[in-house]
Amino acid sequence: MTKPAAPKRHLPTSPFKAPVTPSPKQFTVGDQVTHDVYGLGRVIGVEDGIAALVDFGSTQERILSPYAKMSKL
């Protein structure tokens, strides 16, 4: 087994720009969202930084952070 690669440091003397870390997605109750698997839905509950409870009409799903397959409309 190999160890996972450690993130590379950005040296202040480097001529290249430091990589930008995207801010985590934030959802609030009432937000309309789309999910790659479940489709359109509305956020009905939020656990800060952990998960969002989304009503997709036929089903309610608890989507865990970092919400890779979900985006706000």
Side-chain angles (χ1 to χ4, degrees):
M1 292 195 116
T2 60
K3 292 184 181 179
K8 294 183 179 180
R9 292 187 311 141
H10 176 72
L11 299 174
T13 57
S14 173
F16 303 103
K17 293 182 181 178
V20 178
T21 56
S23 60
K25 294 180 186 177
Q26 298 292 324
F27 296 100
T28 57
V29 174
D31 283 347
Q32 204 170 18
V33 296
T34 182
H35 191 277
D36 291 350
V37 175
Y38 303 110
L40 294 174
R42 185 169 302 274
V43 177
I44 58 174
V46 176
E47 298 172 29
D48 290 333
I50 300 172
L53 183 62
V54 183
D55 181 14
F56 291 104
S58 61
T59 184
Q60 290 183 356
E61 294 291 330
R62 184 173 178 256
I63 310 297
L64 298 175
S65 181
Y67 315 110
K69 296 182 178 183
M70 189 166 77
S71 59
K72 192 184 300 188
L73 296 176

